[in-house]
Amino acid sequence: MITYTPVKVRYGETDKMGIVYHANYLLYLEDGRTDFLEQAGFPYASIEERGYLCPAYSAELSWRAPLRYGDDAVVETRVIANGGTKTTYQQRVFRAGDDPAVDKPVAEGRVTACAVNRDTFKPVSIKRELPDLYERYNALIEPEA
Amino acid sequence: MITYTPVKVRYGETDKMGIVYHANYLLYLEDGRTDFLEQAGFPYASIEERGYLCPAYSAELSWRAPLRYGDDAVVETRVIANGGTKTTYQQRVFRAGDDPAVDKPVAEGRVTACAVNRDTFKPVSIKRELPDLYERYNALIEPEA
Amino acid sequence: MITYTPVKVRYGETDKMGIVYHANYLLYLEDGRTDFLEQAGFPYASIEERGYLCPAYSAELSWRAPLRYGDDAVVETRVIANGGTKTTYQQRVFRAGDDPAVDKPVAEGRVTACAVNRDTFKPVSIKRELPDLYERYNALIEPEA
Amino acid sequence: MITYTPVKVRYGETDKMGIVYHANYLLYLEDGRTDFLEQAGFPYASIEERGYLCPAYSAELSWRAPLRYGDDAVVETRVIANGGTKTTYQQRVFRAGDDPAVDKPVAEGRVTACAVNRDTFKPVSIKRELPDLYERYNALIEPEA
């Protein structure tokens, strides 16, 4: 499954360069992952209700072209790896209207989240403790773009 | 007691106008209140440990001159009212080096926080449940600038 | 004209209280004003292109009930005053699905923006320099809720 | 040269997990690079005044342990590569009081910035256009930790 999530640039997300501040792309990527999990039938809030958190573990990001206030963007999201504890997403940000098959993203990243126990923050096995989510991830894995 | 808390403008706090985005002044004001409570001997974290939260209840803000990246600022903080449940701070933001007695602030505000129970979010009487904090506030009240 | 702008709470907009951090409501209110200006036929970006900026001048805010991650909200926006230089918006934030006619907002505010010259940051008369925008505001004014 | 920049966790930087939201570490890393450039004698603002911007080009980040409200942290910053156009920093975030020689960082990253022309956003050769900065970076390069 590959999801496409629209994002609207906020004024306060720009910086004095006149472009979206680099850290704010992590908010856009999270919008994409939130949407992905909803479309997968596992809204992130429901995972937390079951006693788990999925904090960010690692990320690789690159910024290739600026987004500006008034720009509309789309975040493309897919899961490319699903370990026992960690899940890796590849995500690409396009200008709205661009074609992901031919156009270059303005930014892209790989973000790995790690399931942990809500109270102890200790890593937990998704495979063992959230087997339905684990199977769902497996069924949705896509090759990297 | 009047406290003065230094603040350094971050790049990511500016917007495409080239100045600090207006919402970010609320972060600076919170820096001031955090510092005030530390200097008062009641670090905010210790209030939360006792089972209470103090979310913002209301605020009046005005912005009079821009702050830019590289600017250093100082947040002046005083308590001007202490009710049973709510506490009102007056806060003014000055450029570092300016004299609060004669120079105009670049921004100012009054922020009222309301003590609530951590679990229920219901308002609680500071006077009854945190009497030491209530007395401390009373002892520290200053007239409005 | 009264506009209603949907807002989705981001994870990163919550704080350790588990609710939306108070400063982030200013982002939601700006979403509402951005939308209002688009619907009025004067997208804010077009105002900047004509050489003007409209920084926040003052705000009065109150927070009455918490929003949480996963909540959907709606920002109600109207212009209640239109001076030569300043424009005042009244804005109320409701939970999605609530009825603004009977339900209480979770937060509300009045935000006044001031038109300034892009290069000098000196206030300018909207009435004189942006008469089409000035007339449009006048035509759209609503009584306060 | 290796610099150590103190950072204080803001309430609004935490999220509903009760820990610093992952994106906000990019603000802390930027605090470290801002400080590094100041200590190197090339405040970032002075680079912009000469007509250049240094937007983020790529980043690799990892988060290993949470920071919470009230925590004090220190950002360790060094330049590990200096190309004609791009500069790569290695940065590690420690709890205040921890010893970078023996203790593990709570987060770390490599951030590459790319010099561009302020007006065109086209990459420029630091080596050719900002030779004094280029030489300074070269003199300050450190091996990766």
Side-chain angles (χ1 to χ4, degrees), chain B residues 75-117:
Chain B
V75 181
E76 178 196 74
T77 303
R78 72 191 77 198
V79 167
I80 56 169
N82 180 34
T85 298
K86 300 190 190 78
T87 312
T88 301
Y89 294 83
Q90 186 197 21
Q91 302 191 273
R92 301 193 297 169
V93 183
F94 292 91
R95 292 182 190 289
D98 277 5
D99 178 354
V102 296
D103 293 309
K104 285 187 184 159
V106 294
E108 56 187 314
R110 273 185 296 276
V111 178
T112 298
C114 176
V116 303
N117 179 288

Side-chain angles (χ1 to χ4, degrees), chain A residues 16-19 21-24 26-27 30 33 44 48 53-64 66 68 111-112 121, chain D residues 16-19 21-24 26-27 30 33 44 48 53-64 66 68 111-112 121:
Chain A
K16 72 188 286 287
M17 286 188 201
I19 64 175
Y21 184 66
H22 69 285
N24 293 328
L26 281 171
L27 305 181
E30 177 132 25
R33 297 196 304 279
Y44 179 66
E48 291 205 348
L53 303 172
C54 299
Y57 180 81
S58 63
E60 292 168 63
L61 305 164
S62 63
W63 299 270
R64 289 297 172 265
R68 295 171 195 278
V111 177
T112 298
F121 270 81
Chain D
K16 73 189 285 288
M17 288 189 200
I19 65 176
Y21 183 66
H22 68 286
N24 293 327
L26 280 172
L27 305 181
E30 176 131 25
R33 297 195 304 280
Y44 178 66
E48 290 206 349
L53 303 172
C54 299
Y57 179 82
S58 63
E60 290 168 63
L61 305 164
S62 62
W63 299 270
R64 290 297 172 266
R68 295 170 196 280
V111 177
T112 298
F121 270 79

Side-chain angles (χ1 to χ4, degrees), chain C residues 3-70:
Chain C
T3 57
Y4 291 91
T5 308
V7 168
K8 202 175 163 63
V9 171
R10 283 177 167 155
Y11 203 91
E13 290 164 358
T14 61
D15 64 22
K16 74 188 285 289
M17 288 188 199
I19 64 175
V20 172
Y21 183 67
H22 68 286
N24 293 327
Y25 285 83
L26 280 172
L27 305 182
Y28 300 170
L29 298 188
E30 176 131 26
D31 284 355
R33 297 195 305 280
T34 293
D35 192 20
F36 181 93
L37 284 169
E38 269 173 30
Q39 293 193 37
F42 286 88
Y44 178 65
S46 74
I47 298 173
E48 290 206 346
E49 279 160 21
R50 288 165 73 177
Y52 305 96
L53 303 172
C54 300
Y57 179 81
S58 64
E60 290 168 64
L61 305 164
S62 63
W63 299 269
R64 289 297 172 265
L67 284 176
R68 295 171 195 279
Y69 175 66

